[in-house]
Amino acid sequence: MIPKPSRAEQREIIEKRQADKINEQRDISLDGSQSSIYNKGNVENAEDFEEDVKIRAALTWKNRHFIVMCLVITAGIMLKIQFSYTKIFQDNIYTFLVAFMIMDIILEQILNRIIMAESLLVSPILGAFVIIEFIMTMGAYDFQNFIISYFIETSLVVVGRIYIGPAVERIEFYVQKLAIWLSLKFRFA
């Protein structure tokens, strides 16, 4: 994984940048006096600069995290494609399609709720899952198996949208209610 700088390292970077900024302002000033450097407006600018550095560091870490997660997911998708052209998959195509569909629903929730926590970043990845599942149906032994697996996959998508999606939302709601109740009862928060 990509290392995130510690707080001490971040403070050092910010202090170095502030010192560089003060030195630059000193070099730029025409009269050579440093009184304009230490007025209240420049202190606020320094605070804004420090906040800007923190935001940029957070965004840089988020971008790197997203790239690493995309690479990990791509490796997993490649393994799924390779597995879909094996004899075991061809013999049990319907079972594996249902299992992969359930696994994708669970993985979607994990990506949305825990790992990335941003739906706009997860949406293209979920689109890749759908495309890969369609490509996996091409690993069928013959055309008849392909057509049957395609209709099974389509019916699973419809059932998932009608029944599984709302059920997952209800489960999330009750888990949140339980967490709130436990935190109030045992005073965790």
Side-chain angles (χ1 to χ4, degrees):
M1 297 303 287
I2 299 169
K4 184 179 177 189
S6 66
R7 289 190 184 262
E9 292 172 338
Q10 287 178 354
R11 261 189 251 114
E12 285 179 26
I13 292 169
I14 291 169
E15 289 171 0
K16 183 179 182 301
R17 287 185 180 173
Q18 286 175 346
D20 290 344
K21 187 175 181 181
I22 290 172
N23 289 335
E24 181 182 343
Q25 286 179 352
R26 186 180 312 131
D27 292 341
I28 291 176
S29 74
L30 296 175
D31 60 348
S33 68
Q34 297 178 11
S35 61
S36 64
I37 296 172
Y38 298 108
N39 65 14
K40 186 175 182 177
N42 285 335
V43 171
E44 290 174 4
N45 288 339
E47 290 173 0
D48 290 342
F49 179 74
E50 182 177 338
E51 183 178 330
D52 186 46
V53 168
K54 288 180 182 178
I55 290 171
R56 287 181 191 216
L59 288 175
T60 303
W61 182 84
K62 184 177 183 178
N63 289 341
R64 290 178 180 169
H65 180 259
F66 178 69
I67 290 171
V68 169
M69 287 309 301
C70 284
L71 291 174
V72 168
I73 290 169
T74 302
I77 286 174
M78 291 298 292
L79 289 173
K80 275 175 77 171
I81 289 175
Q82 288 292 332
F83 178 70
S84 70
Y85 290 105
T86 62
K87 182 73 173 153
I88 297 170
F89 183 82
Q90 288 176 354
D91 292 341
N92 303 311
I93 190 167
Y94 311 122
T95 307
F96 281 116
L97 282 178
V98 171
F100 282 140
M101 199 97 160
I102 292 170
M103 184 181 73
D104 286 347
I105 291 170
I106 293 169
L107 189 60
E108 173 187 354
Q109 292 301 315
I110 290 172
L111 284 173
N112 266 332
R113 307 288 180 210
I114 298 171
I115 296 177
M116 290 193 191
E118 193 164 329
S119 295
L120 288 175
L121 293 177
V122 176
S123 295
I125 296 170
L126 298 179
F129 285 158
V130 171
I131 292 170
I132 294 305
E133 285 177 6
F134 177 72
I135 291 172
M136 287 173 56
T137 60
M138 293 181 195
Y141 186 69
D142 58 359
F143 186 69
Q144 181 181 4
N145 279 343
F146 169 74
I147 295 295
I148 292 172
S149 63
Y150 176 76
F151 282 117
I152 287 174
E153 181 182 346
T154 305
S155 63
L156 284 174
V157 168
V158 170
V159 167
R161 298 262 170 101
I162 293 174
Y163 298 110
I164 296 174
V168 168
E169 289 178 7
R170 267 187 266 125
I171 290 170
E172 286 177 5
F173 174 73
Y174 288 125
V175 166
Q176 288 175 353
K177 274 181 81 171
L178 178 66
I180 291 170
W181 180 77
L182 287 174
S183 67
L184 291 175
K185 182 165 176 86
F186 297 111
R187 301 193 190 256
F188 290 132

